[in-house]
């Protein structure tokens, strides 16, 4: 139940980041909806394809498309009233990253996959939608060139498994990892924590 609620929050948050990115590129409403859907549902779709989990989540539960489209269209109206859109974008993206990571980990774990696959599935779920969003909006993806992003998703997945192994209740584990991962992402943005870059002249 908790993960279901978090999932609805996550797809709404990621749909809003997609809509904001599309607005930055002056797309029409169809483009806004497409970018929002790809952002919100792309990571979970990739995870399901990699794990052989069919039908895809949004095919099995088409109401997820309705939540995504609704969040995207709502954003087109709210954006005019929002101050500091960049901050809103980054906060929503951080929430979506961590929430989707935990959902991906939970799905892979319930399917009986090895711990390494669970963590990778979580990272793909969390980060890949944002990659698609940035590529379609002609931006270098955040995951490749900005503050710690995919690394935080990986660490969140590891923390999720460790807490469960230590006997912490699943709901408590989800809440701890959601808060910790979200805080870590915001700190990475605030203090510009980055992976070492490879620069080839």
């Amino acid at each position: 139940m908790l993960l279901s609620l978090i999932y609805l929050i996550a797809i709404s948050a990621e749909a809003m980041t997609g809509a904001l990115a599309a607005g930055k590129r002056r797309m029409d409403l169809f483009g806004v909806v497409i970018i929002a859907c790809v952002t919100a549902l792309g990571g979970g779709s990739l995870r399901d394809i990699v794990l052989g989990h069919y039908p895809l989540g949004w095919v099995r539960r088409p109401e997820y498309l309705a939540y995504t489209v609704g969040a995207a269209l709502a954003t087109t109206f709210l954006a005019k009233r929002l101050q500091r859109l960049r901050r809103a974008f980054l906060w929503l993206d951080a929430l979506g990253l961590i929430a989707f990571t935990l959902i991906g980990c939970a799905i892979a774990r319930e399917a009986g996959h090895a711990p390494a696959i669970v963590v990778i599935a979580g990272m793909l779920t969390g980060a890949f939608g944002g990659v698609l969003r940035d590529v379609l909006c002609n931006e270098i993806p955040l995951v490749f060139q900005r503050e710690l992003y995919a690394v935080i998703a990986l660490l969140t997945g590891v923390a999720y498994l460790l807490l469960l192994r230590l006997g912490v209740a699943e709901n408590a584990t989800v809440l701890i990892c959601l808060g910790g991962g979200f805080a870590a992402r915001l700190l990475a943005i605030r203090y510009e924590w980055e992976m070492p870059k490879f620069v080839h002249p």
Side-chain angles (χ1 to χ4, degrees):
M1 188 65 178
L2 178 61
L3 281 176
S4 296
L5 177 60
I6 289 174
Y7 183 76
L8 294 180
I9 294 171
I11 61 173
S12 299
E14 285 297 307
M16 292 176 77
T17 71
L20 291 172
K24 183 180 177 182
R25 290 296 179 182
R26 304 179 65 83
M27 295 186 186
D28 62 20
L29 288 181
F30 182 77
V32 169
V33 168
I34 293 299
I35 298 298
C37 289
V38 167
T39 307
L41 305 172
S45 297
L46 176 65
R47 176 205 63 230
D48 288 344
I49 292 170
V50 170
L51 299 181
H53 187 221
Y54 296 101
L56 303 181
W58 60 271
V59 175
R60 188 173 63 255
R61 300 285 298 275
E63 62 269 25
Y64 293 159
L65 279 174
Y67 284 113
T68 303
V69 172
L73 294 178
T75 303
T76 63
F77 295 101
L78 294 174
K80 297 176 182 178
R81 298 173 175 82
L82 289 175
Q83 302 296 325
R84 300 184 180 182
L85 285 181
R86 175 173 169 75
R87 177 174 294 181
F89 176 91
L90 291 173
W91 280 51
L92 290 168
D93 188 65
L95 178 61
L97 170 70
I98 303 305
F100 275 136
T101 296
L102 292 171
I103 291 163
C105 287
I107 290 173
R109 177 173 166 269
E110 288 172 4
H113 292 287
I117 303 303
V118 170
V119 173
I120 292 172
M123 185 270 291
L124 289 177
T125 309
F128 192 73
V131 171
L132 288 174
R133 175 199 64 216
D134 294 341
V135 169
L136 291 175
C137 291
N138 200 28
E139 301 278 357
I140 299 175
L142 283 172
V143 66
F144 299 139
Q145 51 99 25
R146 297 296 298 274
E147 307 87 1
L148 294 181
Y149 194 87
V151 171
I152 289 177
L154 288 172
L155 293 175
T156 300
V158 170
Y160 172 79
L161 290 180
L162 285 177
L163 289 173
L164 291 177
R165 184 68 62 86
L166 292 172
V168 180
E170 183 167 6
N171 281 351
T173 295
V174 169
L175 290 174
I176 291 169
C177 291
L178 183 64
F182 182 66
R185 173 63 183 147
L186 294 184
L187 287 171
I189 294 171
R190 172 67 178 82
Y191 295 105
E192 299 183 352
W193 295 340
E194 298 179 351
M195 289 289 287
K197 287 184 170 59
F198 172 64
V199 180
H200 182 67

